[in-house]
């Protein structure tokens, strides 16, 4: 655990310390987000925050290579984790910088994402097996494993990119997802007596540290945006950890039945349910209107939360809550025998969350609409809607 804590700390600290310098560079470079009709921010805000996150990743990998046990993890079993992350991450960052400054077309970004997935495959990060309901593993030949790997990488990158619409939203959601993956891999390995030092766990730890260090600068009101440079990078690392965890545990030695065997497949769709649903709804909505699925609009889920009366911060915290609840529920089901207790607690917390989510905006609206003859006192400083 000490090795992981050190990599998390290094990734977070370097990302945090680099962000102010990256912000100044973004302003000089002209990479700023000018407010548009569909945006929430009202003043030009620097992009390129992903550069600081990439620096955190590089620093964490450098420290990990200096640790004897971690050095084995970074190049074990034909999988070169460090090379895969540096090469594919570097490519994604270059494309992201160009997009944050000059707005690259969607086809070019898609080609870059496919190329990054190809680098993963060449470095050994690929889906080789798929868990079956019978508890067995289905081995995939390259003809199936390669396109499936590309699909997972591209889908995850774009799902994260789609949700990057509110201050701190993408960094927080992906950070929670990374923490869930790390907890699942580390705790389950300890429970069944396997080594806790694995490439997938290390990637999840680094990703969590990157998001943790960048979030103080990005939470509302954001001083800097991660831009496509950051959203594509963290989506890439999230897909890498998921791919490497798939099929890692033998169902024959799992204590809690087959459920933990399927958690890597279920965890990312669960914790990324919000961005994935948002992405699918956006594609359906735009194509149904005869527009390109990549054309922007102001009908994402986070925009709808703002329309309900939530502030930007509260909308982001609501998204954190649901992602954290789904992630902790799945990890709890994988680690503990008392499944009904875990499900019951998760359901109770979910009901309480729904009630609070619907109740708070109603109070805010009533305070705004209260007049002299309404019998209610208007708020002294009614919060402005974005």
């Amino acid at each position: 655990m000490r090795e992981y804590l050190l990599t998390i700390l290094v990734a977070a600290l370097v990302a945090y310390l680099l962000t102010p310098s990256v912000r100044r560079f973004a302003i000089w470079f002209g990479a700023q987000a000018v407010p548009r009709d569909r945006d929430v921010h009202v003043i030009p805000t620097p992009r390129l925050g992903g550069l600081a996150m990439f620096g955190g990743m590089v620093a964490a990998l450098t420290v990990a290579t200096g640790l004897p046990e971690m050095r084995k993890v970074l190049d074990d079993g034909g999988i070169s984790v460090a090379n895969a992350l540096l090469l594919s991450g570097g490519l994604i960052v270059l494309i992201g910088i160009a997009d944050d400054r000059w707005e690259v077309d969607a086809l070019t970004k898609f080609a870059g994402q496919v190329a990054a997935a190809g680098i993963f495959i060449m470095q050994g990060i690929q889906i080789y097996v798929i868990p079956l309901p019978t508890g067995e593993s289905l081995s995939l030949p390259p003809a199936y494993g390669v396109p499936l790997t590309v699909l997972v990488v591209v889908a995850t990158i774009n799902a994260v990119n789609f949700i990057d619409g509110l201050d701190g939203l993408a960094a927080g959601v992906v950070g929670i997802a990374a923490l869930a993956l790390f907890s699942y891999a580390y705790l389950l390995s300890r429970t069944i007596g396997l080594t806790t030092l694995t490439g997938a766990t290390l990637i999840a730890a680094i990703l969590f540290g990157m998001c943790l260090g960048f979030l103080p600068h990005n939470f509302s009101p954001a001083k800097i945006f991660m831009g496509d440079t950051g959203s594509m990078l963290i989506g890439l690392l999230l897909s890498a950890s998921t791919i490497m965890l798939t099929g890692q545990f033998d169902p024959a030695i799992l204590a809690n039945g087959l459920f933990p065997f399927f958690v890597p497949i279920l965890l990312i769709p669960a914790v990324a349910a919000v961005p994935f649903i948002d992405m699918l709804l956006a594609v359906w909505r735009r194509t149904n209107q005869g527009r390109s699925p990549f054309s922007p609009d102001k009908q994402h889920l986070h925009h709808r939360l703002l329309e309900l009366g939530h502030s930007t911060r509260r909308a982001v915290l609501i998204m954190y809550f649901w992602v954290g609840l789904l992630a902790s529920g799945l990890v709890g089901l994988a680690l503990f025998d008392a499944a009904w207790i875990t499900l019951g607690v998760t359901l109770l917390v979910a009901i309480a969350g729904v009630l609070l989510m619907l109740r708070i905006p109603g109070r805010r609206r009533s305070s705004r609409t209260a007049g002299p003859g309404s019998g209610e006192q208007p708020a002294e400083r009614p919060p402005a809607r974005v």
Side-chain angles (χ1 to χ4, degrees):
M1 175 59 84
R2 288 178 297 180
E3 292 88 349
Y4 288 127
L5 291 177
L6 180 60
T7 55
I8 291 172
L9 178 61
V10 169
L13 188 61
V14 172
Y16 178 80
L17 294 177
L18 280 180
T19 301
S21 298
V22 170
R23 182 179 184 275
R24 290 190 292 269
F25 170 74
I27 295 174
W28 173 83
F29 189 55
Q32 296 199 79
V34 179
R36 300 163 296 182
D37 178 63
R38 67 187 179 94
D39 289 330
V40 174
H41 66 285
V42 295
I43 59 173
T45 306
R47 292 170 173 163
L48 295 181
L51 271 178
M53 305 177 85
F54 183 71
M57 184 195 80
V58 173
L61 286 173
T62 302
V63 170
T65 56
L67 303 174
E69 294 300 321
M70 280 296 183
R71 194 181 302 120
K72 300 175 185 177
V73 171
L74 290 171
D75 195 2
D76 182 36
I79 300 177
S80 182
V81 175
N83 288 341
L85 296 185
L86 291 173
L87 293 175
S88 60
L91 174 62
I92 284 295
V93 165
L94 289 176
I95 296 172
I97 291 173
D99 184 64
D100 289 340
R101 177 60 180 87
W102 297 288
E103 295 190 2
V104 176
D105 62 276
L107 185 59
T108 301
K109 287 195 289 185
F110 175 76
Q113 294 164 10
V114 173
I119 294 174
F120 272 179
I121 293 168
M122 288 188 293
Q123 298 297 326
I125 298 180
Q126 179 182 327
I127 298 177
Y128 294 100
V129 296
I130 292 181
L132 296 177
T134 59
E136 300 177 352
S137 298
L138 175 64
S139 297
L140 295 178
Y144 296 100
V146 168
L148 184 57
T149 301
V150 173
L151 176 63
V152 170
V153 172
V154 173
T156 306
I157 289 174
N158 284 283
V160 174
N161 194 24
F162 266 66
I163 201 177
D164 187 24
L166 289 179
D167 297 350
L169 184 56
V173 166
V174 174
I176 293 171
L179 181 60
L181 282 173
F182 173 79
S183 302
Y184 160 79
Y186 182 84
L187 295 176
L188 187 58
S189 296
R190 288 198 61 179
T191 300
I192 60 182
L194 298 178
T195 177
T196 57
L197 298 176
T198 65
T201 315
L202 177 62
I203 295 174
I206 293 174
L207 178 57
F208 174 66
M210 292 161 52
C211 295
L212 187 66
F214 179 70
L215 194 56
H217 300 282
N218 187 233
F219 198 72
S220 179
K223 303 178 184 67
I224 185 173
F225 296 151
M226 68 171 64
D228 276 16
T229 309
S231 63
M232 292 197 297
L233 177 64
I234 61 178
L236 181 75
L237 266 66
L238 188 62
S239 67
S241 183
T242 305
I243 290 170
M244 294 183 69
L245 276 173
T246 303
Q248 177 173 305
F249 298 103
D250 185 354
I253 59 176
L254 295 177
N256 293 353
L258 293 177
F259 184 79
F261 191 49
F262 297 100
V263 167
I265 298 176
L266 299 174
L267 191 56
I268 291 303
V271 298
V274 172
F276 269 113
I277 292 173
D278 196 22
M279 179 178 66
L280 293 176
L281 289 176
V283 171
W284 176 83
R285 181 175 64 247
R286 293 164 185 172
T287 54
N288 205 35
Q289 296 172 353
R291 298 186 294 143
S292 167
F294 300 102
S295 61
D297 59 29
K298 200 174 182 179
Q299 299 182 44
H300 289 292
L301 295 178
H302 50 266
H303 290 121
R304 297 182 185 276
L305 284 173
L306 295 176
E307 291 174 0
L308 285 174
H310 293 285
S311 66
T312 302
R313 287 192 174 192
R314 185 174 286 117
V316 171
L317 292 174
I318 287 172
M319 305 283 255
Y320 288 177
F321 169 79
W322 289 112
V323 170
L325 182 64
L326 289 170
S328 59
L330 279 176
V331 173
L333 288 172
L335 297 176
F336 304 113
D337 292 328
W340 289 110
I341 295 178
T342 303
L343 289 173
V345 171
T346 303
L347 181 60
L348 289 175
V349 175
I351 293 173
V354 171
L355 293 176
L356 287 174
M357 185 177 64
L358 296 177
R359 185 180 181 185
I360 293 175
R363 288 182 174 179
R364 289 166 62 88
R365 282 194 296 267
S366 64
S367 66
R368 284 197 298 269
T369 56
S374 63
E376 299 181 16
Q377 295 296 323
E380 294 181 5
R381 296 181 61 187
R385 295 185 63 178
V386 180

